[in-house]
Amino acid sequence: MRQRLPPLNALKVFEAAARHESFTRAAEELFVTQGAVSHQVKALEADLGIKLFNRERQRLVITEAGRDYLTVVRDALDRIALGTERLLQRQSAGVLTVSTSPDFAAKWLVHRLGHFAEAHPEIDLRVSATLHHVDFAREEVDLAVRHGDGNWPGLDTVRLSSEQLFAVCSPKLLTGRRRLSKPSDILKYSLIHMDSRADWSKWLQSAGLEHADVIHGPVLNRASMVIDAAINGQGIALARTTLSAWDLINGRLVRPFPDTLRLSKTYWIICPKATAAPSVR
């Protein structure tokens, strides 16, 4: 749940009044009337249910509670000012920080960095490959690439591509005595699994091999490991469109059969709606 916060403008007025110990001088600094400052402070006191100032001998004196609150408010305003300055510096410096998963970085992003640098030489690109989902409010990240269904409330989302799951292998397995010529030939080789054996069961059923044994073969926990194992001829893997595309284009992988499983989840570019460029949509 969103935390309860007083109006930011009232906090700014309170900080100025407490610093100057004067509504008049606070008003001069903020370019408003003395009455506006007094109104904001009274509204803040009413909202908090706490007296922040006392008038003693025509002099404004901050209360003990007000002094304690001033420490908190001043620290918060200083943090906002510092964060804003850092953001503006990064924007003017042309820095673009992208957060993504290690698999996407290794199998899709790094192969395209050269083209991006040629097209946008003015941008200083920083890539952070991590397994955790970035918190845009707390981390210095401009955009992220996530795998999912595109449902991230409060964030702008752009789908990179549709995804399918299909069998891939080294080109070496298409030649020789044990070459792959029909789907059932797949069972002559190790099946390389990602996390579980469920995907291979679905794919084999779609290829007409409903009772095939999928127990054999290693189970790996990273998609990039699965693809690299297939490239090295260690067996046959199921790979997603996005992560296998570069190796398919460059001939390190081949699709022995056209059978595919359509996937509901894919990769998305995401960023806060407030910072999304209109041209992205």
Side-chain angles (χ1 to χ4, degrees):
M1 293 179 61
R2 185 183 295 274
Q3 294 178 323
R4 177 179 175 273
L5 295 173
L8 180 59
N9 195 48
L11 296 179
K12 184 179 177 181
V13 169
F14 162 69
E15 191 278 333
R19 177 162 32 85
H20 291 293
E21 293 189 331
S22 167
F23 286 172
T24 302
R25 278 183 284 178
E28 291 172 354
E29 176 185 313
L30 300 173
F31 300 102
V32 296
T33 66
Q34 189 268 353
V37 171
S38 177
H39 175 75
Q40 287 277 10
V41 170
K42 288 180 180 178
L44 180 61
E45 289 178 326
D47 185 45
L48 297 174
I50 297 172
K51 191 74 172 174
L52 299 174
F53 295 99
N54 288 320
R55 286 190 176 273
E56 299 178 4
R57 300 176 185 176
Q58 296 185 341
R59 178 169 163 265
L60 190 68
V61 178
I62 189 169
T63 65
E64 182 178 350
R67 196 172 302 280
D68 290 340
Y69 195 44
L70 175 62
T71 302
V72 175
V73 171
R74 182 170 290 166
D75 179 67
L77 292 176
D78 286 344
R79 286 174 178 268
I80 292 172
L82 180 60
T84 302
E85 181 63 24
R86 286 177 177 173
L87 176 63
L88 294 176
Q89 287 178 353
R90 288 174 60 229
Q91 290 292 95
S92 62
V95 175
L96 178 66
T97 301
V98 179
S99 173
T100 186
S101 69
D103 285 335
F104 184 86
K107 285 298 176 184
W108 193 94
L109 188 57
V110 295
H111 302 300
R112 293 161 173 82
L113 293 181
H115 294 301
F116 181 86
E118 290 177 6
H120 304 282
E122 76 284 1
I123 295 179
D124 179 10
L125 181 64
R126 316 274 176 90
V127 177
S128 174
T130 178
L131 292 176
H132 84 275
H133 280 183
V134 65
D135 182 345
F136 288 104
R138 297 180 181 274
E139 300 178 50
E140 293 188 358
V141 172
D142 298 298
L143 60 86
V145 179
R146 288 184 184 170
H147 189 265
D149 58 8
N151 182 28
W152 289 283
L155 295 176
D156 187 86
T157 60
V158 177
R159 189 172 69 170
L160 274 176
S161 67
S162 59
E163 288 253 87
Q164 295 179 332
L165 194 69
F166 42 75
V168 295
C169 66
S170 166
K172 294 182 293 185
L173 301 192
L174 298 185
T175 61
R177 185 170 54 85
R178 297 175 64 204
R179 66 182 179 274
L180 295 167
S181 58
K182 56 185 183 298
S184 60
D185 292 337
I186 281 179
L187 303 177
K188 299 176 185 177
Y189 293 90
S190 291
L191 302 182
I192 305 169
H193 304 272
M194 171 68 182
D195 287 335
S196 73
R197 295 185 166 89
D199 286 339
W200 262 120
S201 294
K202 293 177 184 176
W203 188 91
L204 290 168
Q205 288 178 14
S206 72
L209 302 170
E210 296 186 7
H211 304 293
D213 173 22
V214 297
I215 300 300
H216 62 295
V219 179
L220 309 178
N221 73 335
R222 300 250 40 97
S224 55
M225 294 166 57
V226 170
I227 292 172
D228 287 342
I231 290 172
N232 291 330
Q234 297 176 24
I236 303 170
L238 289 177
R240 297 199 299 264
T241 308
T242 306
L243 298 187
S244 62
W246 189 260
D247 292 309
L248 287 167
I249 291 170
N250 288 278
R252 287 184 290 271
L253 284 177
V254 294
R255 291 181 57 178
F257 307 107
D259 305 81
T260 63
L261 296 176
R262 187 167 296 278
L263 300 175
S264 59
K265 296 181 179 181
T266 186
Y267 285 96
W268 299 77
I269 300 172
I270 63 170
C271 66
K273 289 184 179 294
T275 59
S279 59
V280 171
R281 287 192 169 275

